[in-house]
Amino acid sequence: MGRKMILTLLLLAFVATCAIAGDPPAKPATALNIHILGPEKVGPLPAVPVPPGNPQGTLKIQLGKQLYFDTRLSKDNTISCATCHNPAMGWSDEGPTSKGIAGQMGGRRAPPVSNAAYLPLQFWDGRAPSLEEQAKGPIQNPIEMGNTHDAMLRTVDFIPGYVQEFATVFGPGPITVDRVAEAIAAFERTVVTTDSPFDRYVRGSEDALTQEEKWGLEIFNGKGHCTACHWGGNFTDGRFHNIGVKQQDPAKPDLGRYEITKDPRDKGAFKTPTVRDAALRAPYLRDGSEKSLESLVEFYNRGGDTDDPNLDPLIVPLSLSTAEKAALVAFMKRAMVSLNPEVADVKPIPPSGFPK
């Protein structure tokens, strides 16, 4: 009998033995590697990606911070970037959707600025390919800051303090929309959640999470099906999904990503938000229709609220028990809240702190 035949018979015998013995029992959740979420490992976020054309710098970041909080960039001097992306509210706002000049209400909640630097596309529908491009949009949006780029530049150019700072940061040349956006984006790239109880836990501090929170993390990574979309260090895949949110006005549906791609499969699809600091950002979903983390978990537990033909196949009923839902909420409510000062302790600039 040839050697190849012997090896083949031995392999068949091994397979048969395994079949008779049956598969080994599944490991309990606590024995699984819970430091893996989806296709990317969980852990401290990597260094913030910085585009070659807009390097970071201390003076540029400070200039960007001033512009971020300065209401003079808006048409009526009432709205700044921080109005809708407030550090005290998880870098979003009080909702349910965002309010712009003259009390106008937008149709969507403000996505958080925190960790936005890691996302390849900005806005709920992904229409901006960078933080720089995103920063330009609200200035001229008629519902948000209600200005024009030209009028905003005339305002900034009329403030000697800004003229001096732009010259120091960017060198000779006029103040441009691109330079304004680059400075704001440089500041936003400093808003990164590097220290939450969860981060401490994955770095090896076992007592950083309570037992209930550890269970909630296991549910998040397992039965809760959360990591289908909320994976990686930023707890988001950065992609777009129709999760079954009812349209507030069926006669004028918000079609989300479809408006950008015109791909019928993108109807009703919106970008996955980060779970980091979610406890600070109630209400939830792109229209603020879920008022608490508890109601948000219940929304996902029932598999969304519509039978939309475009419903993402990842959205399924979860059959979580009351205790499992409570553990999942406990994990998000404390373990995911950032403690580092770049996120948690940023305060608005007082009037005296703006360039004159």
Side-chain angles (χ1 to χ4, degrees):
M1 186 180 295
R3 183 175 179 179
K4 185 178 292 187
M5 179 64 74
I6 292 173
L7 290 174
T8 301
L9 290 173
L10 288 173
L11 179 60
L12 290 172
F14 174 75
V15 172
T17 301
C18 291
I20 293 170
D23 292 332
K27 294 181 180 179
T30 52
L32 297 175
N33 181 6
I34 59 172
H35 296 170
I36 301 295
L37 293 184
E40 292 185 6
K41 287 186 177 181
V42 163
L45 285 162
V48 174
V50 178
N54 189 24
Q56 295 286 87
T58 301
L59 294 179
K60 184 189 289 183
I61 292 168
Q62 179 59 28
L63 172 59
K65 182 177 181 180
Q66 292 170 331
L67 293 165
Y68 184 91
F69 284 99
D70 199 335
T71 59
R72 290 176 292 182
L73 271 63
S74 68
K75 181 178 181 179
D76 62 0
N77 298 324
T78 63
I79 303 294
S80 70
C81 302
T83 303
C84 296
H85 303 280
N86 187 337
M89 298 180 180
W91 296 87
S92 183
D93 58 21
E94 63 184 0
T97 58
S98 297
K99 183 184 294 185
I101 63 167
Q104 298 180 92
M105 297 300 297
R108 300 173 184 168
R109 283 191 52 61
V113 161
S114 53
N115 295 350
Y118 292 96
L119 297 171
L121 298 173
Q122 305 296 324
F123 293 109
W124 279 105
D125 53 20
R127 64 185 180 272
S130 67
L131 284 179
E132 286 79 4
E133 289 303 308
Q134 187 281 328
K136 298 175 185 179
I139 294 171
Q140 61 180 0
N141 185 301
I143 295 178
E144 296 180 50
M145 298 172 80
N147 214 343
T148 66
H149 285 160
D150 287 342
M152 178 272 296
L153 291 174
R154 286 194 295 270
T155 297
V156 175
D157 207 30
F158 193 70
I159 300 170
Y162 269 138
V163 173
Q164 180 58 52
E165 288 192 31
F166 270 91
T168 300
V169 171
F170 292 102
I175 299 173
T176 64
V177 174
D178 284 343
R179 288 182 170 184
V180 169
E182 286 170 11
I184 293 173
F187 166 65
E188 291 178 337
R189 288 191 175 96
T190 68
V191 185
V192 178
T193 54
T194 59
D195 187 25
S196 67
F198 166 79
D199 290 302
R200 297 178 183 184
Y201 177 68
V202 297
R203 287 195 292 258
S205 178
E206 283 291 327
D207 60 355
L209 301 186
T210 67
Q211 287 303 121
E212 185 180 35
E213 289 164 355
K214 291 176 183 178
W215 186 28
L217 174 55
E218 292 174 3
I219 295 166
F220 190 97
N221 193 39
K223 185 178 178 181
H225 204 49
C226 307
T227 55
C229 303
H230 297 279
W231 45 255
N234 199 19
F235 282 69
T236 169
D237 58 7
R239 300 169 185 167
F240 303 86
H241 304 273
N242 183 326
I243 61 171
V245 179
K246 286 183 178 178
Q247 294 287 348
Q248 296 291 335
D249 183 358
K252 297 179 181 179
D254 187 347
L255 299 178
R257 182 66 174 159
Y258 170 78
E259 298 290 359
I260 309 305
T261 67
K262 302 305 179 185
D263 185 336
R265 294 172 297 181
D266 287 333
K267 287 184 177 179
F270 295 85
K271 188 174 63 179
T272 306
T274 178
V275 176
R276 288 180 175 273
D277 285 333
L280 306 178
R281 290 196 294 272
Y284 301 98
L285 305 179
R286 47 94 179 168
D287 61 354
S289 54
E290 296 299 337
K291 306 307 179 187
S292 66
L293 283 174
E294 288 81 1
S295 68
L296 179 67
V297 168
E298 189 55 52
F299 168 85
Y300 282 109
N301 191 48
R302 60 181 179 264
D305 283 340
T306 71
D307 56 357
D308 191 319
N310 272 5
L311 183 69
D312 197 297
L314 294 172
I315 302 300
V316 295
L318 303 175
S319 301
L320 296 176
S321 69
T322 299
E324 288 169 333
K325 288 184 285 187
L328 188 54
V329 168
F331 168 66
M332 293 188 288
K333 188 165 285 188
R334 191 192 72 90
M336 293 306 301
V337 173
S338 180
L339 304 173
N340 59 296
E342 296 86 352
V343 175
D345 297 335
V346 175
K347 300 295 189 295
I349 295 177
S352 60
F354 289 109
K356 306 299 182 190

